[in-house]
Amino acid sequence: MSKVLIFGHKNPDTDTICSAIAYADLKTQLGEEVEAVRLGAVGGETQFALDKFGFAAPRLVETVAGEAKGVILVDHNERQQSVSDIDQVTVLEVVDHHRIANFETSAPLYYRAEPVGCTATILLKLYKENGKSVPANVAGLMLSAIISDSLLFKSPTCTAQDVAAAKELAAIAGVDADSYGLDMLKAGADLSDKTIAQLISLDAKEFSMGQAKVEIAQVNAVDVNDVLSKQAELEDALTGIINEKGLDLFLFVVTDILNNDSVGLALGKAADAVEEAYSVKIENNRALLKGVVSRKSQIVPVLTDIFNKR
């Protein structure tokens, strides 16, 4: 049997990278031949975690069918978020914590989806269910994933299960979750060396919402004005992507990690959906999204409801 590749979504975030590595470790402990790979560049936050716990980034791949027959998806399931030739391989497993959309297989598979804040929280259960221990360095990566997805336990997506898992993993890794987590988030929020292209692709995902094609990108910042001072350049780049992909809406979300609010830069013919969704007024293509920090629970489902009514 050929090697199985494990990977998360395009434009990988910390959960995608760290969960792929962790699940590869568990599978290896179980005697399976697997490899964690990635579908995009590693961001500053993720690199901070990798460096802290002594890991190299997984190998970058553009396609997978040329080297594997079977794959395992973590932290995603929607096909437009996955590798470009996903239709040419067999999806053997999915471990995810997002909505299920645009996903089907020709054969049965192992599918584990739970309404928790992070894929790593589910993986900790899988280690236990399989009677395997989490190595200290892998525990550090899994902790990093939970901190990232929960914004240090402040996101509405964070559950009691995530908090408990983080506490357990921090003990295994030998770090203080709060102090380490803040350092990691700040590393990810340092956008001073990022180009416009990097800013809008660091954590971008495409979604089908009703009849609309939507892309939502999100970056974390200590001061949102550091990003929005480049608004004209951002708008030029976003307009190019809208035209290239035929998007109805591109929502670029800048999240303040200290105040837990966001500013959305909304472009496209359906930008008014943001006004309708949040009862706000878009001025200069911007909308203040008070208390909004989670794309998964506070943006995607709200906008999907709006587009489904159109």
Side-chain angles (χ1 to χ4, degrees), residues 217-279:
Q218 185 174 23
V219 295
N220 294 335
V222 174
D223 184 349
V224 297
N225 292 320
D226 288 345
V227 179
L228 295 175
S229 64
K230 305 172 183 176
Q231 182 170 340
E233 297 170 85
L234 286 166
E235 289 184 0
D236 285 345
L238 296 180
T239 299
I241 294 173
I242 290 169
N243 294 334
E244 176 188 346
K245 296 184 176 181
L247 300 175
D248 297 284
L249 168 66
F250 196 124
L251 180 61
F252 179 70
V253 181
V254 187
T255 298
D256 186 325
I257 65 171
L258 299 180
N259 296 323
N260 298 317
D261 293 325
S262 294
V263 175
L265 189 60
L267 295 175
K269 62 185 179 183
D272 63 313
V274 176
E275 293 184 317
E276 187 177 350
Y278 296 100
S279 300

CSV table of all heavy atoms in Angstrom, one decimal, residues 217-279:
chain,number,residue,atom,x,y,z
A,217,ALA,N,-11.0,36.4,3.6
A,217,ALA,CA,-9.6,36.3,4.2
A,217,ALA,C,-9.6,37.0,5.5
A,217,ALA,O,-10.3,38.0,5.7
A,217,ALA,CB,-8.6,37.0,3.2
A,218,GLN,N,-8.7,36.6,6.4
A,218,GLN,CA,-8.7,37.1,7.7
A,218,GLN,C,-7.2,37.2,8.2
A,218,GLN,O,-6.5,36.3,8.0
A,218,GLN,CB,-9.5,36.3,8.7
A,218,GLN,CG,-9.6,36.9,10.1
A,218,GLN,CD,-10.5,36.0,11.0
A,218,GLN,OE1,-10.7,34.9,10.8
A,218,GLN,NE2,-11.0,36.7,12.1
A,219,VAL,N,-6.9,38.4,8.8
A,219,VAL,CA,-5.6,38.5,9.4
A,219,VAL,C,-5.8,39.1,10.8
A,219,VAL,O,-6.7,39.8,11.1
A,219,VAL,CB,-4.6,39.5,8.6
A,219,VAL,CG1,-4.3,38.9,7.3
A,219,VAL,CG2,-5.3,40.9,8.5
A,220,ASN,N,-4.9,38.7,11.7
A,220,ASN,CA,-4.9,39.2,13.1
A,220,ASN,C,-3.9,40.3,13.2
A,220,ASN,O,-2.8,40.3,12.6
A,220,ASN,CB,-4.6,38.1,14.1
A,220,ASN,CG,-5.7,37.1,14.1
A,220,ASN,OD1,-6.8,37.3,13.8
A,220,ASN,ND2,-5.3,35.9,14.5
A,221,ALA,N,-4.3,41.4,14.0
A,221,ALA,CA,-3.4,42.5,14.1
A,221,ALA,C,-3.5,43.1,15.5
A,221,ALA,O,-4.5,42.9,16.2
A,221,ALA,CB,-3.7,43.6,13.1
A,222,VAL,N,-2.4,43.7,16.0
A,222,VAL,CA,-2.5,44.4,17.3
A,222,VAL,C,-3.1,45.7,17.1
A,222,VAL,O,-3.8,46.3,17.9
A,222,VAL,CB,-1.0,44.5,17.9
A,222,VAL,CG1,-1.1,45.4,19.1
A,222,VAL,CG2,-0.5,43.1,18.2
A,223,ASP,N,-2.8,46.4,15.9
A,223,ASP,CA,-3.4,47.6,15.5
A,223,ASP,C,-3.9,47.5,14.1
A,223,ASP,O,-3.2,47.4,13.2
A,223,ASP,CB,-2.4,48.8,15.6
A,223,ASP,CG,-2.9,50.1,15.3
A,223,ASP,OD1,-4.1,50.2,14.9
A,223,ASP,OD2,-2.2,51.1,15.6
A,224,VAL,N,-5.3,47.5,13.9
A,224,VAL,CA,-5.9,47.3,12.6
A,224,VAL,C,-5.4,48.4,11.6
A,224,VAL,O,-5.4,48.2,10.4
A,224,VAL,CB,-7.4,47.2,12.7
A,224,VAL,CG1,-7.8,46.0,13.5
A,224,VAL,CG2,-8.0,48.5,13.2
A,225,ASN,N,-5.1,49.6,12.1
A,225,ASN,CA,-4.7,50.7,11.2
A,225,ASN,C,-3.4,50.4,10.5
A,225,ASN,O,-3.1,51.0,9.5
A,225,ASN,CB,-4.6,52.0,12.0
A,225,ASN,CG,-6.0,52.5,12.5
A,225,ASN,OD1,-7.0,52.4,11.7
A,225,ASN,ND2,-6.1,53.0,13.7
A,226,ASP,N,-2.6,49.5,11.1
A,226,ASP,CA,-1.3,49.1,10.4
A,226,ASP,C,-1.6,48.4,9.1
A,226,ASP,O,-0.9,48.5,8.1
A,226,ASP,CB,-0.5,48.2,11.3
A,226,ASP,CG,0.1,48.8,12.5
A,226,ASP,OD1,0.2,50.1,12.5
A,226,ASP,OD2,0.5,48.1,13.5
A,227,VAL,N,-2.8,47.7,9.0
A,227,VAL,CA,-3.2,47.1,7.8
A,227,VAL,C,-4.0,48.0,6.9
A,227,VAL,O,-3.8,48.1,5.7
A,227,VAL,CB,-4.0,45.8,8.1
A,227,VAL,CG1,-4.4,45.1,6.8
A,227,VAL,CG2,-3.1,44.8,9.0
A,228,LEU,N,-5.0,48.7,7.5
A,228,LEU,CA,-5.9,49.5,6.8
A,228,LEU,C,-5.3,50.8,6.2
A,228,LEU,O,-5.8,51.4,5.3
A,228,LEU,CB,-7.1,49.9,7.6
A,228,LEU,CG,-7.9,48.6,8.0
A,228,LEU,CD1,-9.1,49.1,9.0
A,228,LEU,CD2,-8.5,48.0,6.8
A,229,SER,N,-4.1,51.1,6.7
A,229,SER,CA,-3.3,52.2,6.1
A,229,SER,C,-3.0,51.9,4.6
A,229,SER,O,-2.6,52.8,3.8
A,229,SER,CB,-2.1,52.5,6.9
A,229,SER,OG,-1.2,51.5,6.8
A,230,LYS,N,-3.0,50.6,4.2
A,230,LYS,CA,-2.7,50.2,2.9
A,230,LYS,C,-4.0,49.9,2.1
A,230,LYS,O,-4.0,49.1,1.1
A,230,LYS,CB,-1.8,48.9,2.9
A,230,LYS,CG,-0.6,49.1,3.7
A,230,LYS,CD,0.2,47.8,3.9
A,230,LYS,CE,1.4,47.9,4.8
A,230,LYS,NZ,2.1,46.7,5.1
A,231,GLN,N,-5.1,50.5,2.5
A,231,GLN,CA,-6.4,50.2,1.9
A,231,GLN,C,-6.4,50.3,0.4
A,231,GLN,O,-7.0,49.4,-0.3
A,231,GLN,CB,-7.5,51.0,2.5
A,231,GLN,CG,-8.9,50.6,2.0
A,231,GLN,CD,-10.0,51.3,2.8
A,231,GLN,OE1,-9.8,51.7,3.9
A,231,GLN,NE2,-11.2,51.4,2.2
A,232,ALA,N,-5.9,51.3,-0.2
A,232,ALA,CA,-6.0,51.5,-1.6
A,232,ALA,C,-5.3,50.4,-2.4
A,232,ALA,O,-5.8,49.8,-3.3
A,232,ALA,CB,-5.3,52.9,-2.0
A,233,GLU,N,-4.1,50.0,-1.9
A,233,GLU,CA,-3.4,48.9,-2.5
A,233,GLU,C,-4.2,47.6,-2.3
A,233,GLU,O,-4.2,46.7,-3.2
A,233,GLU,CB,-2.0,48.7,-1.9
A,233,GLU,CG,-1.1,49.9,-2.1
A,233,GLU,CD,0.2,49.8,-1.3
A,233,GLU,OE1,1.1,49.2,-1.7
A,233,GLU,OE2,0.2,50.4,-0.2
A,234,LEU,N,-4.7,47.4,-1.1
A,234,LEU,CA,-5.5,46.2,-0.8
A,234,LEU,C,-6.7,46.1,-1.8
A,234,LEU,O,-7.0,45.0,-2.3
A,234,LEU,CB,-6.0,46.2,0.6
A,234,LEU,CG,-5.0,45.9,1.7
A,234,LEU,CD1,-5.5,46.3,3.1
A,234,LEU,CD2,-4.6,44.4,1.7
A,235,GLU,N,-7.4,47.2,-2.0
A,235,GLU,CA,-8.6,47.2,-2.9
A,235,GLU,C,-8.2,46.9,-4.3
A,235,GLU,O,-8.9,46.2,-5.0
A,235,GLU,CB,-9.3,48.6,-2.8
A,235,GLU,CG,-10.0,48.8,-1.4
A,235,GLU,CD,-10.8,50.1,-1.4
A,235,GLU,OE1,-10.8,50.8,-2.4
A,235,GLU,OE2,-11.4,50.4,-0.4
A,236,ASP,N,-7.1,47.4,-4.8
A,236,ASP,CA,-6.6,47.1,-6.1
A,236,ASP,C,-6.4,45.6,-6.2
A,236,ASP,O,-6.8,45.0,-7.2
A,236,ASP,CB,-5.3,47.8,-6.4
A,236,ASP,CG,-5.6,49.3,-6.7
A,236,ASP,OD1,-6.7,49.7,-6.9
A,236,ASP,OD2,-4.6,50.1,-6.7
A,237,ALA,N,-5.8,45.0,-5.3
A,237,ALA,CA,-5.5,43.6,-5.3
A,237,ALA,C,-6.7,42.7,-5.2
A,237,ALA,O,-6.9,41.7,-5.9
A,237,ALA,CB,-4.5,43.2,-4.2
A,238,LEU,N,-7.6,43.1,-4.3
A,238,LEU,CA,-8.9,42.4,-4.1
A,238,LEU,C,-9.7,42.5,-5.4
A,238,LEU,O,-10.4,41.5,-5.8
A,238,LEU,CB,-9.7,42.9,-2.9
A,238,LEU,CG,-9.0,42.8,-1.6
A,238,LEU,CD1,-9.9,43.4,-0.5
A,238,LEU,CD2,-8.7,41.3,-1.2
A,239,THR,N,-9.8,43.6,-6.0
A,239,THR,CA,-10.6,43.8,-7.2
A,239,THR,C,-10.0,42.8,-8.3
A,239,THR,O,-10.8,42.2,-9.1
A,239,THR,CB,-10.5,45.2,-7.7
A,239,THR,OG1,-11.1,46.1,-6.7
A,239,THR,CG2,-11.3,45.4,-9.0
A,240,GLY,N,-8.7,42.7,-8.4
A,240,GLY,CA,-8.1,41.8,-9.4
A,240,GLY,C,-8.5,40.4,-9.1
A,240,GLY,O,-8.8,39.6,-10.1
A,241,ILE,N,-8.5,40.0,-7.9
A,241,ILE,CA,-8.9,38.6,-7.5
A,241,ILE,C,-10.4,38.4,-7.8
A,241,ILE,O,-10.8,37.3,-8.3
A,241,ILE,CB,-8.6,38.3,-6.0
A,241,ILE,CG1,-7.1,38.3,-5.8
A,241,ILE,CG2,-9.2,36.9,-5.6
A,241,ILE,CD1,-6.7,38.2,-4.4
A,242,ILE,N,-11.2,39.4,-7.5
A,242,ILE,CA,-12.7,39.3,-7.8
A,242,ILE,C,-12.9,39.0,-9.3
A,242,ILE,O,-13.7,38.2,-9.7
A,242,ILE,CB,-13.4,40.5,-7.3
A,242,ILE,CG1,-13.4,40.6,-5.8
A,242,ILE,CG2,-14.8,40.6,-7.9
A,242,ILE,CD1,-13.9,41.9,-5.2
A,243,ASN,N,-12.2,39.8,-10.1
A,243,ASN,CA,-12.4,39.7,-11.6
A,243,ASN,C,-11.8,38.4,-12.1
A,243,ASN,O,-12.4,37.7,-12.9
A,243,ASN,CB,-11.7,40.8,-12.3
A,243,ASN,CG,-12.3,42.2,-12.0
A,243,ASN,OD1,-13.5,42.2,-11.7
A,243,ASN,ND2,-11.6,43.3,-12.0
A,244,GLU,N,-10.7,37.9,-11.5
A,244,GLU,CA,-10.1,36.7,-12.0
A,244,GLU,C,-10.9,35.5,-11.6
A,244,GLU,O,-11.0,34.6,-12.5
A,244,GLU,CB,-8.7,36.6,-11.3
A,244,GLU,CG,-7.9,35.3,-11.6
A,244,GLU,CD,-6.7,35.1,-10.8
A,244,GLU,OE1,-6.2,36.1,-10.2
A,244,GLU,OE2,-6.2,34.0,-10.8
A,245,LYS,N,-11.5,35.4,-10.4
A,245,LYS,CA,-12.2,34.3,-10.0
A,245,LYS,C,-13.7,34.4,-10.2
A,245,LYS,O,-14.4,33.4,-10.0
A,245,LYS,CB,-11.9,34.0,-8.5
A,245,LYS,CG,-10.5,33.7,-8.2
A,245,LYS,CD,-10.3,33.4,-6.7
A,245,LYS,CE,-8.9,32.9,-6.4
A,245,LYS,NZ,-8.7,32.6,-4.9
A,246,GLY,N,-14.2,35.5,-10.6
A,246,GLY,CA,-15.6,35.7,-10.8
A,246,GLY,C,-16.4,35.7,-9.4
A,246,GLY,O,-17.5,35.2,-9.3
A,247,LEU,N,-15.8,36.3,-8.4
A,247,LEU,CA,-16.4,36.3,-7.1
A,247,LEU,C,-17.5,37.4,-7.0
A,247,LEU,O,-17.5,38.4,-7.7
A,247,LEU,CB,-15.3,36.7,-6.0
A,247,LEU,CG,-14.1,35.8,-5.9
A,247,LEU,CD1,-13.1,36.4,-4.9
A,247,LEU,CD2,-14.5,34.4,-5.5
A,248,ASP,N,-18.5,37.1,-6.2
A,248,ASP,CA,-19.5,38.0,-5.9
A,248,ASP,C,-19.2,38.9,-4.7
A,248,ASP,O,-19.6,40.1,-4.7
A,248,ASP,CB,-20.8,37.3,-5.6
A,248,ASP,CG,-21.3,36.5,-6.8
A,248,ASP,OD1,-21.9,37.1,-7.7
A,248,ASP,OD2,-21.1,35.2,-6.8
A,249,LEU,N,-18.3,38.4,-3.9
A,249,LEU,CA,-17.9,39.1,-2.7
A,249,LEU,C,-16.5,38.7,-2.2
A,249,LEU,O,-16.3,37.5,-2.2
A,249,LEU,CB,-18.9,38.9,-1.5
A,249,LEU,CG,-18.5,39.4,-0.1
A,249,LEU,CD1,-18.4,41.0,-0.1
A,249,LEU,CD2,-19.5,39.0,0.9
A,250,PHE,N,-15.7,39.6,-1.9
A,250,PHE,CA,-14.4,39.3,-1.2
A,250,PHE,C,-14.5,40.2,0.1
A,250,PHE,O,-14.5,41.4,0.0
A,250,PHE,CB,-13.2,39.7,-2.0
A,250,PHE,CG,-11.9,39.1,-1.5
A,250,PHE,CD1,-11.1,38.3,-2.3
A,250,PHE,CD2,-11.5,39.3,-0.2
A,250,PHE,CE1,-9.9,37.7,-1.8
A,250,PHE,CE2,-10.4,38.7,0.3
A,250,PHE,CZ,-9.6,37.9,-0.5
A,251,LEU,N,-14.5,39.5,1.2
A,251,LEU,CA,-14.5,40.1,2.5
A,251,LEU,C,-13.1,39.9,3.1
A,251,LEU,O,-12.8,38.8,3.5
A,251,LEU,CB,-15.6,39.6,3.4
A,251,LEU,CG,-15.7,40.2,4.8
A,251,LEU,CD1,-16.0,41.7,4.7
A,251,LEU,CD2,-16.8,39.5,5.6
A,252,PHE,N,-12.4,41.0,3.3
A,252,PHE,CA,-11.1,40.9,4.0
A,252,PHE,C,-11.2,41.5,5.4
A,252,PHE,O,-11.6,42.6,5.6
A,252,PHE,CB,-10.1,41.8,3.2
A,252,PHE,CG,-8.7,41.9,3.8
A,252,PHE,CD1,-7.9,40.8,3.7
A,252,PHE,CD2,-8.2,43.0,4.4
A,252,PHE,CE1,-6.6,40.8,4.3
A,252,PHE,CE2,-7.0,43.1,4.9
A,252,PHE,CZ,-6.1,42.0,4.9
A,253,VAL,N,-11.0,40.6,6.3
A,253,VAL,CA,-11.3,40.9,7.7
A,253,VAL,C,-10.0,41.1,8.5
A,253,VAL,O,-9.2,40.2,8.5
A,253,VAL,CB,-12.1,39.7,8.4
A,253,VAL,CG1,-12.5,40.0,9.8
A,253,VAL,CG2,-13.4,39.5,7.6
A,254,VAL,N,-9.9,42.2,9.2
A,254,VAL,CA,-8.8,42.5,10.0
A,254,VAL,C,-9.2,42.5,11.5
A,254,VAL,O,-10.1,43.3,11.9
A,254,VAL,CB,-8.2,43.9,9.7
A,254,VAL,CG1,-6.9,44.1,10.5
A,254,VAL,CG2,-7.9,44.0,8.2
A,255,THR,N,-8.7,41.5,12.2
A,255,THR,CA,-9.2,41.3,13.6
A,255,THR,C,-8.2,41.8,14.6
A,255,THR,O,-7.0,41.5,14.5
A,255,THR,CB,-9.4,39.8,13.8
A,255,THR,OG1,-10.4,39.3,12.9
A,255,THR,CG2,-9.9,39.5,15.3
A,256,ASP,N,-8.7,42.6,15.5
A,256,ASP,CA,-7.9,43.2,16.6
A,256,ASP,C,-7.8,42.1,17.7
A,256,ASP,O,-8.8,41.8,18.4
A,256,ASP,CB,-8.6,44.5,17.1
A,256,ASP,CG,-7.7,45.2,18.2
A,256,ASP,OD1,-7.0,44.5,19.0
A,256,ASP,OD2,-7.8,46.4,18.2
A,257,ILE,N,-6.6,41.5,17.9
A,257,ILE,CA,-6.5,40.4,18.9
A,257,ILE,C,-6.6,40.9,20.3
A,257,ILE,O,-6.7,40.1,21.3
A,257,ILE,CB,-5.2,39.6,18.7
A,257,ILE,CG1,-4.0,40.5,18.9
A,257,ILE,CG2,-5.2,39.0,17.3
A,257,ILE,CD1,-2.7,39.7,18.9
A,258,LEU,N,-6.5,42.2,20.6
A,258,LEU,CA,-6.5,42.8,21.9
A,258,LEU,C,-7.9,43.2,22.3
A,258,LEU,O,-8.4,43.0,23.4
A,258,LEU,CB,-5.6,44.0,22.1
A,258,LEU,CG,-4.1,43.7,21.8
A,258,LEU,CD1,-3.2,44.9,22.0
A,258,LEU,CD2,-3.6,42.6,22.7
A,259,ASN,N,-8.7,43.8,21.3
A,259,ASN,CA,-10.0,44.2,21.7
A,259,ASN,C,-11.1,43.3,21.2
A,259,ASN,O,-12.3,43.5,21.5
A,259,ASN,CB,-10.2,45.6,21.0
A,259,ASN,CG,-9.3,46.7,21.6
A,259,ASN,OD1,-9.0,46.6,22.8
A,259,ASN,ND2,-8.8,47.6,20.8
A,260,ASN,N,-10.8,42.3,20.4
A,260,ASN,CA,-11.7,41.3,19.9
A,260,ASN,C,-12.8,41.9,19.1
A,260,ASN,O,-14.0,41.5,19.1
A,260,ASN,CB,-12.3,40.5,21.1
A,260,ASN,CG,-11.3,39.7,21.8
A,260,ASN,OD1,-10.4,39.1,21.2
A,260,ASN,ND2,-11.3,39.8,23.2
A,261,ASP,N,-12.5,42.9,18.2
A,261,ASP,CA,-13.4,43.4,17.2
A,261,ASP,C,-12.7,43.2,15.9
A,261,ASP,O,-11.5,42.9,15.8
A,261,ASP,CB,-13.7,44.9,17.4
A,261,ASP,CG,-14.5,45.2,18.7
A,261,ASP,OD1,-15.3,44.3,19.0
A,261,ASP,OD2,-14.2,46.2,19.3
A,262,SER,N,-13.4,43.4,14.8
A,262,SER,CA,-12.9,43.3,13.4
A,262,SER,C,-13.4,44.5,12.6
A,262,SER,O,-14.4,45.0,12.8
A,262,SER,CB,-13.2,42.0,12.8
A,262,SER,OG,-12.6,40.9,13.5
A,263,VAL,N,-12.6,44.8,11.5
A,263,VAL,CA,-13.0,45.7,10.5
A,263,VAL,C,-13.0,44.9,9.2
A,263,VAL,O,-12.0,44.2,8.9
A,263,VAL,CB,-12.1,46.9,10.4
A,263,VAL,CG1,-12.5,47.7,9.1
A,263,VAL,CG2,-12.1,47.7,11.6
A,264,GLY,N,-14.1,44.9,8.5
A,264,GLY,CA,-14.2,44.2,7.2
A,264,GLY,C,-14.1,45.1,6.0
A,264,GLY,O,-14.8,46.1,6.0
A,265,LEU,N,-13.3,44.8,5.1
A,265,LEU,CA,-13.2,45.5,3.8
A,265,LEU,C,-13.9,44.7,2.8
A,265,LEU,O,-13.5,43.5,2.5
A,265,LEU,CB,-11.7,45.6,3.5
A,265,LEU,CG,-11.3,46.5,2.3
A,265,LEU,CD1,-11.8,48.0,2.5
A,265,LEU,CD2,-9.8,46.5,2.0
A,266,ALA,N,-15.1,45.2,2.4
A,266,ALA,CA,-16.0,44.4,1.5
A,266,ALA,C,-16.0,45.0,0.1
A,266,ALA,O,-16.4,46.1,-0.1
A,266,ALA,CB,-17.4,44.4,2.1
A,267,LEU,N,-15.7,44.1,-0.8
A,267,LEU,CA,-15.7,44.5,-2.3
A,267,LEU,C,-16.4,43.5,-3.1
A,267,LEU,O,-16.5,42.3,-2.7
A,267,LEU,CB,-14.3,44.7,-2.8
A,267,LEU,CG,-13.4,45.8,-2.2
A,267,LEU,CD1,-12.0,45.7,-2.7
A,267,LEU,CD2,-14.0,47.1,-2.4
A,268,GLY,N,-17.0,43.9,-4.2
A,268,GLY,CA,-17.7,43.0,-5.1
A,268,GLY,C,-19.2,43.4,-5.2
A,268,GLY,O,-19.7,44.2,-4.4
A,269,LYS,N,-19.9,42.9,-6.2
A,269,LYS,CA,-21.2,43.3,-6.5
A,269,LYS,C,-22.2,42.9,-5.4
A,269,LYS,O,-23.3,43.5,-5.3
A,269,LYS,CB,-21.7,42.7,-7.8
A,269,LYS,CG,-21.7,41.2,-7.8
A,269,LYS,CD,-22.1,40.7,-9.2
A,269,LYS,CE,-22.1,39.2,-9.3
A,269,LYS,NZ,-22.4,38.7,-10.6
A,270,ALA,N,-21.8,42.0,-4.5
A,270,ALA,CA,-22.7,41.6,-3.4
A,270,ALA,C,-22.2,42.1,-2.0
A,270,ALA,O,-22.5,41.5,-1.0
A,270,ALA,CB,-22.8,40.1,-3.4
A,271,ALA,N,-21.4,43.2,-2.0
A,271,ALA,CA,-20.9,43.7,-0.8
A,271,ALA,C,-22.0,44.1,0.2
A,271,ALA,O,-21.8,44.1,1.4
A,271,ALA,CB,-19.9,44.9,-1.1
A,272,ASP,N,-23.1,44.5,-0.4
A,272,ASP,CA,-24.2,44.9,0.5
A,272,ASP,C,-24.7,43.8,1.4
A,272,ASP,O,-25.4,44.0,2.4
A,272,ASP,CB,-25.4,45.4,-0.3
A,272,ASP,CG,-26.0,44.4,-1.2
A,272,ASP,OD1,-25.2,43.7,-1.9
A,272,ASP,OD2,-27.2,44.2,-1.2
A,273,ALA,N,-24.3,42.5,1.1
A,273,ALA,CA,-24.7,41.4,2.0
A,273,ALA,C,-24.1,41.6,3.3
A,273,ALA,O,-24.7,41.1,4.3
A,273,ALA,CB,-24.3,40.1,1.3
A,274,VAL,N,-23.0,42.2,3.4
A,274,VAL,CA,-22.3,42.4,4.7
A,274,VAL,C,-23.2,43.4,5.5
A,274,VAL,O,-23.3,43.2,6.8
A,274,VAL,CB,-20.9,43.0,4.5
A,274,VAL,CG1,-20.3,43.3,5.9
A,274,VAL,CG2,-20.0,41.9,3.8
A,275,GLU,N,-23.7,44.4,4.9
A,275,GLU,CA,-24.6,45.4,5.6
A,275,GLU,C,-25.8,44.7,6.1
A,275,GLU,O,-26.2,44.9,7.3
A,275,GLU,CB,-25.0,46.5,4.7
A,275,GLU,CG,-23.9,47.4,4.2
A,275,GLU,CD,-24.3,48.6,3.4
A,275,GLU,OE1,-25.2,48.3,2.5
A,275,GLU,OE2,-23.9,49.7,3.6
A,276,GLU,N,-26.4,43.8,5.3
A,276,GLU,CA,-27.6,43.1,5.7
A,276,GLU,C,-27.3,42.1,6.8
A,276,GLU,O,-28.1,42.0,7.7
A,276,GLU,CB,-28.2,42.4,4.5
A,276,GLU,CG,-29.5,41.8,4.7
A,276,GLU,CD,-30.1,41.1,3.4
A,276,GLU,OE1,-29.5,41.3,2.4
A,276,GLU,OE2,-31.1,40.4,3.6
A,277,ALA,N,-26.2,41.5,6.7
A,277,ALA,CA,-25.9,40.4,7.7
A,277,ALA,C,-25.6,41.0,9.1
A,277,ALA,O,-26.0,40.4,10.1
A,277,ALA,CB,-24.6,39.6,7.2
A,278,TYR,N,-25.0,42.2,9.2
A,278,TYR,CA,-24.6,42.7,10.5
A,278,TYR,C,-25.3,44.0,10.9
A,278,TYR,O,-24.9,44.6,11.9
A,278,TYR,CB,-23.0,42.9,10.5
A,278,TYR,CG,-22.3,41.6,10.3
A,278,TYR,CD1,-21.8,41.2,9.1
A,278,TYR,CD2,-22.1,40.8,11.4
A,278,TYR,CE1,-21.1,40.0,8.9
A,278,TYR,CE2,-21.4,39.6,11.2
A,278,TYR,CZ,-20.9,39.2,10.0
A,278,TYR,OH,-20.3,38.0,9.8
A,279,SER,N,-26.2,44.4,10.0
A,279,SER,CA,-27.0,45.7,10.3
A,279,SER,C,-26.0,46.8,10.5
A,279,SER,O,-26.1,47.6,11.5
A,279,SER,CB,-27.9,45.5,11.6
A,279,SER,OG,-28.8,44.5,11.4
